[in-house]
């Protein structure tokens, strides 16, 4: 079997995803790169729809958009601002804790190190990689459920979870694709290559995709 053509695949994705909206956190950094906002909005976005993340972020940043200002708010105020984001009370606690650490331990600057970021409560590798890539324009591969699912569906990797997928992609994926792959596959995974019964009949990648694990398609 011929190797999976990742270069052709990425070329197609970069073209066809223009018809859909980019993920909300990516939209936010187009005007100004702000690692703190990337961190906080990504924390809000976990298990939350993009529209809710967008509005919750807008309301919160109207009250405080720096770690110092965030510490002036109560946990209850933050929770009210980001409601109805999923687990909004837990996220409010974690946002306040992250802001405090940034101020007290890092002089008000979000750390640029993935291992340090993942010591923050509520921050996993997905969030940490987004902070590095979108907040600082540093190399990283953000792997969420879409990236994990689709890369395995293509047959490009064979992994059991997103963390394994990230480590495999770090060894296999050409570096020019490290940062854009998340935006492209999140957008594609939300609109066409959905978890159940993907739209293979509409997919320009269908002839390249090995459709691993696909039992029903449209």
């Amino acid at each position: 079997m011929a190797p999976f053509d990742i270069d052709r695949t990425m070329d197609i994705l970069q073209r066809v995803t223009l018809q859909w909206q980019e993920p909300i956190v990516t939209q936010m950094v187009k005007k100004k790169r702000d690692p703190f906002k990337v961190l906080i909005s990504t924390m809000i976005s976990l298990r939350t729809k993009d529209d809710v993340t967008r509005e919750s972020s807008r309301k919160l940043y109207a009250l405080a958009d720096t770690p110092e200002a965030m510490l002036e708010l109560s946990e209850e105020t933050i929770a009210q601002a980001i409601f109805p984001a999923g687990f909004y009370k837990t996220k409010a606690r974690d946002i306040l804790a992250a802001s405090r650490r940034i101020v007290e331990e890092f002089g008000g600057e979000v750390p640029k190190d993935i291992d340090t970021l993942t010591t923050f409560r509520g921050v996993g590798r997905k969030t940490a990689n987004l902070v590095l890539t979108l907040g600082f324009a540093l190399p990283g591969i953000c792997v969420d459920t879409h990236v994990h699912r689709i890369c395995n569906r293509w047959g490009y990797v064979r992994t059991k979870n997103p963390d394994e997928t990230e480590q495999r992609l770090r060894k296999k994926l050409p570096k020019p694709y490290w940062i854009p792959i998340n935006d492209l596959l999140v957008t594609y995974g939300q609109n066409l290559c959905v978890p159940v019964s993907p739209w293979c009949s509409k997919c320009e990648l269908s002839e390249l995709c090995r459709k691993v694990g696909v039992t029903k398609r449209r």
Side-chain angles (χ1 to χ4, degrees), residues 83-118:
F83 178 84
F87 305 98
Y88 64 97
K89 291 183 179 179
T90 299
K91 290 176 181 178
R93 179 202 67 192
D94 292 346
I95 288 169
L96 202 55
S99 299
R100 183 170 292 109
R101 284 196 63 188
I102 290 168
V103 171
E104 295 179 357
E105 297 179 33
F106 303 101
E109 301 292 330
V110 176
K112 297 180 180 181
D113 176 66
I114 194 168
D115 292 329
T116 302
L117 285 166
T118 52

Side-chain angles (χ1 to χ4, degrees), residues 63 72 89 110 147 161:
L63 299 174
E72 298 297 321
K89 291 183 179 179
V110 176
V147 177
N161 55 59

Side-chain angles (χ1 to χ4, degrees), residues 148-181:
H148 170 62
R149 178 183 75 253
I150 296 173
C151 285
N152 275 274
R153 183 173 283 175
W154 287 342
Y156 188 59
V157 300
R158 294 182 63 183
T159 54
K160 296 179 181 179
N161 55 59
D163 285 350
E164 281 188 20
T165 299
E166 181 197 338
Q167 298 310 316
R168 186 72 184 101
L169 290 176
R170 283 179 175 270
K171 297 177 181 178
K172 187 174 186 178
L173 186 69
K175 282 200 172 183
Y177 303 141
W178 280 26
I179 293 178
I181 194 170

Side-chain angles (χ1 to χ4, degrees), residues 43-203:
M43 292 172 71
I44 294 172
S45 75
L46 301 176
R47 298 188 182 183
T48 300
K49 292 182 178 180
D50 268 9
D51 287 346
V52 175
T53 299
R54 181 183 295 105
E55 182 61 15
S56 296
S57 297
R58 185 194 65 79
K59 290 191 295 184
L60 180 60
Y61 298 147
L63 299 174
D65 61 359
T66 67
E68 293 83 1
M70 201 69 71
L71 291 180
E72 298 297 321
L73 304 180
S74 68
E75 188 175 309
E76 181 179 357
T77 298
I78 295 172
Q80 290 174 347
I82 66 175
F83 178 84
F87 305 98
Y88 64 97
K89 291 183 179 179
T90 299
K91 290 176 181 178
R93 179 202 67 192
D94 292 346
I95 288 169
L96 202 55
S99 299
R100 183 170 292 109
R101 284 196 63 188
I102 290 168
V103 171
E104 295 179 357
E105 297 179 33
F106 303 101
E109 301 292 330
V110 176
K112 297 180 180 181
D113 176 66
I114 194 168
D115 292 329
T116 302
L117 285 166
T118 52
T119 66
F120 281 57
R121 194 163 57 190
V123 175
R125 290 193 67 87
K126 169 194 168 180
T127 298
N129 270 295
L130 270 184
V131 172
L132 260 61
T133 58
L134 297 183
F136 293 107
L138 294 173
I141 305 176
C142 178
V143 176
D144 68 349
T145 57
H146 296 291
V147 177
H148 170 62
R149 178 183 75 253
I150 296 173
C151 285
N152 275 274
R153 183 173 283 175
W154 287 342
Y156 188 59
V157 300
R158 294 182 63 183
T159 54
K160 296 179 181 179
N161 55 59
D163 285 350
E164 281 188 20
T165 299
E166 181 197 338
Q167 298 310 316
R168 186 72 184 101
L169 290 176
R170 283 179 175 270
K171 297 177 181 178
K172 187 174 186 178
L173 186 69
K175 282 200 172 183
Y177 303 141
W178 280 26
I179 293 178
I181 194 170
N182 181 261
D183 279 358
L184 293 172
L185 292 191
V186 168
T187 303
Y188 213 62
Q190 290 176 339
N191 292 279
L192 203 70
C193 195
V194 293
V196 179
S197 191
W199 293 93
C200 298
S201 62
K202 299 180 180 180
C203 181

